């Protein structure tokens, strides 16, 4: 399945994780952190993700946005956290 994530919707850590939870349909117990994101993404199997407005997300979230992108790359490549 393919998902498109809009960086304009990622304006804080809390809003980012709420957006990801909604978009991917993560369970209620989703931990709202990068470790939980990795776990949920890898449990989904093969997932295609396209980011739009990445520069805006990185401008807002800074290093957390960079770490977020790395989680998606690691999950896609099957690299364990």
């Amino acid at each position: 399945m393919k998902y498109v994530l809009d960086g304009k919707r990622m304006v804080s850590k809390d809003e980012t994780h709420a957006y990801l939870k909604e978009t991917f349909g993560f369970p209620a117990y989703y931990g709202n952190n990068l470790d939980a994101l990795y776990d949920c993404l890898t449990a989904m199997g093969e997932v295609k993700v396209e980011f739009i407005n990445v520069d805006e997300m990185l401008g807002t979230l800074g290093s957390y946005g960079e770490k977020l992108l790395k989680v998606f790359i690691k999950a896609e490549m099957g690299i364990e956290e």
Side-chain angles (χ1 to χ4, degrees):
M1 181 165 231
K2 182 177 178 178
Y3 298 89
V4 177
L5 296 176
D6 187 351
K8 289 182 179 181
R9 301 224 15 219
M10 300 179 192
V11 296
S12 70
K13 288 181 186 180
D14 289 338
E15 289 191 38
T16 295
H17 286 287
Y19 174 55
L20 295 173
K21 182 178 178 180
E22 173 190 332
T23 301
F24 290 105
F26 290 157
Y29 58 82
Y30 173 65
N32 297 316
N33 60 60
L34 298 177
D35 289 334
L37 174 61
Y38 177 84
D39 292 343
C40 286
L41 288 172
T42 55
M44 292 175 69
E46 189 174 328
V47 176
K48 298 291 182 191
V49 179
E50 177 184 344
F51 281 86
I52 59 173
N53 301 309
V54 174
D55 290 339
E56 292 184 36
M57 178 198 70
L58 293 174
T60 303
L61 296 178
S63 65
Y64 192 79
E66 293 173 11
K67 292 175 187 175
L68 178 85
L69 291 175
K70 287 179 184 176
V71 168
F72 278 95
I73 292 167
K74 288 180 177 180
E76 181 180 3
M77 296 178 70
I79 299 170
E80 292 197 29
E81 281 288 288

